[in-house]
Amino acid sequence: MAETAKYDIVIIGSGPGGYVAAIRAGQLGLKTLVVEKDDKLGGTCLHVGCIPTKDLLLNAEVYDYFKNAKEFGIVCKEFSIDWAAIQARKTRVVTRLAKGVEFLFKKNKVESIQGYGRWVGPGRITVTDAKGQTREIQAAKIVLATGSEAKTFPGFEPDGKTILTNKEILALNAVPKSMVIMGAGAVGVEFASIFHRLGTKVTILEMLPRAVPLEDEEISAELEKSFRHQGIGLETQAKVEKATKTANGVAVSFTRPDGKAQAIEAETLLVAVGRSPNTQDVGLEKSRVKLERGFVKVDPYMQTGEPGVYAIGDLVASSPLLAHVASREGIVAVTHAAGKPVEPVNYTQVPNCTYCEPEISSVGLTERQAREAGHKVRIGKFPFAANSKATILGSREGFVKIVSDETYGEILGVHMVGPRVTEMIAEAVAAMRLEGTVEDLAYAIHPHPTLTEAVMEAAHAAHDWAIHF
Ligand SMILES: Cc1cc2nc3c(=O)[nH]c(=O)nc-3n(C[C@H](O)[C@H](O)[C@H](O)COP(=O)(O)OP(=O)(O)OC[C@H]3O[C@@H](n4cnc5c(N)ncnc54)[C@H](O)[C@@H]3O)c2cc1C
């Protein structure tokens, strides 16, 4: 065992939870170390999650524009996909952002080392490098930010070629001819939107009765309608039983609720059925950290059951698996660790974005949840078909739906499906944070012509005063 170093705070993991926590810890004047097992900083989000997928979605969108160039009066006779160039651009984007994290660490005097971190006792962790050499580090406070991995199960192990998770699919060396996607959650529908537009025949198999099952029911219905219209296959209530490798790829067997068995053959199978927390083999079994189905239980300041040990991000129990939540939790944890006052995360005001085509975004209660919570619900809804900017863009699908309480106009939830709605949800988050009412949203002047006018019009629609519909 090599020498022991001492820090005010050590953060294990450099995803959007860990690296943001580290920067804030540096800003707070704490001597900070980040331990990252991979050879680059940034975690799932930067390397195999948020960033590369959004980059590929942009490629797919550009390709779509070429396909529809005629509509915009542009004659474009020859165009094709250069997959290697697409992959190279993705790498450039990711590398630039990873270098940005390195720069921010330097700027804020955050140290980082490559190695596998484990908790070994109060105020102590070990770091094992690629050569197997282990050193001990002392830390007044420790933040666990080890994130999550794609859930896999026996018979569906990724092989890098035919059976894929979010990692392997991003490293494919060609656009597959066909793909079955298990799971119509955010990851499943985003990859469906990428590969369908790049020319892959996509079929999604979802066990639950609807796609994007955590969203408002009307949002799911609109997405399903759009997917079917686009030609993306979607089977709901389809229980996948088996994946059998074939000469041309994989045969995926599934059953319907009536017990009828069916199989689809495709070149590739993407398993997108959720995430498992990275809480094994980090020493927690010897600690007082409490787990719930593998996820770490924390208090509102992200403290675990082990004094001085915090947990943030994807490995936290009951926390949505989102980069911006991980980052916010990281700020709460290190600010608390520094002994400074901090407001806990308000999980009722977390924006959810799914970057499929059409995009989805939401915050707060769905209509069903609001009714079940006993609210007298007032709904305001406005279709993008009646929004001038959506018509200019040639993207008229979808709507904005505001769920409010009839008594005082409290905004309970905002749900959107349509063009660029992931860029629009922050307005609803800000309004809810400021305890604005649906009337406040209606009377806030929105610029014309923008998609955001649909939010204002949906707020007007809550009182049947929408102007353009
Ligand atoms: C395909 C896909 C697309 C996504 N798109 C979005 C999106 O658009 N928006 C969004 O908000 N969220 C998105 N997410 C979710 C988002 O990526 C995660 O919520 C986020 O990365 C969680 O951050 P984290 O810091 O908790 O963990 P991670 O980003 O998983 O980082 C954990 C880090 O810890 C390291 N680590 C693990 N164990 C150890 C150890 N023992 N020692 C040292 N280091 C260790 C890992 O190598 C990793 O770098 C997406 C996820 C996927 C899979």
Side-chain angles (χ1 to χ4, degrees), residues 187-418:
V187 172
V189 299
E190 284 187 18
F191 278 114
S193 290
I194 293 170
F195 284 97
H196 165 71
R197 285 185 288 171
L198 295 179
T200 305
K201 183 179 181 328
V202 175
T203 308
I204 309 174
L205 301 176
E206 167 58 54
M207 197 164 80
L208 294 174
R210 59 192 177 98
V212 285
L214 301 179
E215 298 293 344
D216 187 276
E217 285 162 41
E218 282 192 89
I219 300 284
S220 296
E222 184 74 8
L223 182 72
E224 290 178 11
K225 190 175 81 183
S226 173
F227 270 14
R228 291 198 170 108
H229 179 70
Q230 293 176 50
I232 297 176
L234 173 65
E235 297 274 352
T236 51
Q237 295 190 285
K239 187 167 183 288
V240 174
E241 308 281 359
K242 212 164 74 176
T244 315
K245 301 263 181 76
T246 63
N248 300 320
V250 56
V252 185
S253 321
F254 63 99
T255 47
R256 296 173 184 283
D258 60 8
K260 221 167 123 191
Q262 212 175 317
I264 304 182
E265 196 171 343
E267 210 175 287
T268 49
L269 166 66
L270 170 68
V271 182
V273 291
R275 311 276 303 168
S276 303
N278 290 329
T279 48
Q280 286 173 350
D281 195 25
V282 277
L284 303 186
E285 58 290 344
K286 292 167 262 153
S287 75
R288 281 175 279 179
V289 172
K290 290 200 174 50
L291 300 182
E292 185 181 288
R293 289 180 295 113
F295 291 87
V296 178
K297 288 174 85 169
V298 293
D299 74 1
Y301 295 100
M302 315 314 296
Q303 296 181 100
T304 69
E306 176 67 40
V309 176
Y310 294 76
I312 58 171
D314 276 12
L315 52 75
V316 171
S318 311
S319 170
L321 280 69
L322 292 166
H324 41 282
V325 174
S327 300
R328 180 75 211 146
E329 290 173 344
I331 289 173
V332 170
V334 297
T335 312
H336 187 270
K340 304 259 191 271
V342 66
E343 181 189 314
V345 180
N346 181 350
Y347 290 100
T348 66
Q349 293 177 359
V350 170
N352 303 291
C353 291
T354 305
Y355 301 77
C356 46
E357 169 56 30
E359 291 187 349
I360 292 172
S361 62
S362 64
V363 57
L365 301 181
T366 63
E367 181 178 347
R368 180 187 285 274
Q369 287 166 341
R371 291 192 193 285
E372 284 173 358
H375 287 281
K376 267 192 173 173
V377 169
R378 186 188 281 276
I379 301 293
K381 208 172 147 190
F382 189 81
F384 281 107
N387 173 274
S388 50
K389 185 64 181 282
T391 304
I392 294 167
L393 292 171
S395 242
R396 301 173 75 239
E397 278 180 306
F399 54 82
V400 175
K401 172 176 175 178
I402 302 179
V403 181
S404 63
D405 187 287
E406 209 175 275
T407 323
Y408 300 113
E410 182 191 356
I411 303 164
L412 303 171
V414 178
H415 308 273
M416 310 187 198
V417 54

Side-chain angles (χ1 to χ4, degrees), residues 11-19 35-38 40-54 113-118 126-127 144-150 166-167 169-170 186-188 190-191 275 278 280-282 312-316 320-327 329 351 353-355:
I11 297 164
I12 307 179
S14 73
Y19 90 71
V35 179
E36 169 56 58
K37 69 176 172 52
D38 288 348
K40 44 208 171 196
L41 302 171
T44 302
C45 173
L46 182 45
H47 298 284
V48 286
C50 327
I51 302 300
T53 51
K54 267 84 258 177
I113 49 166
Q114 192 187 343
Y116 193 96
R118 286 184 186 84
T126 56
V127 180
L144 304 169
T146 52
S148 65
E149 295 287 335
N166 63 296
K167 275 190 186 164
I169 195 171
L170 288 166
V187 172
E190 284 187 18
F191 278 114
R275 311 276 303 168
N278 290 329
Q280 286 173 350
D281 195 25
V282 277
I312 58 171
D314 276 12
L315 52 75
V316 171
L321 280 69
L322 292 166
H324 41 282
V325 174
S327 300
E329 290 173 344
C353 291
T354 305
Y355 301 77

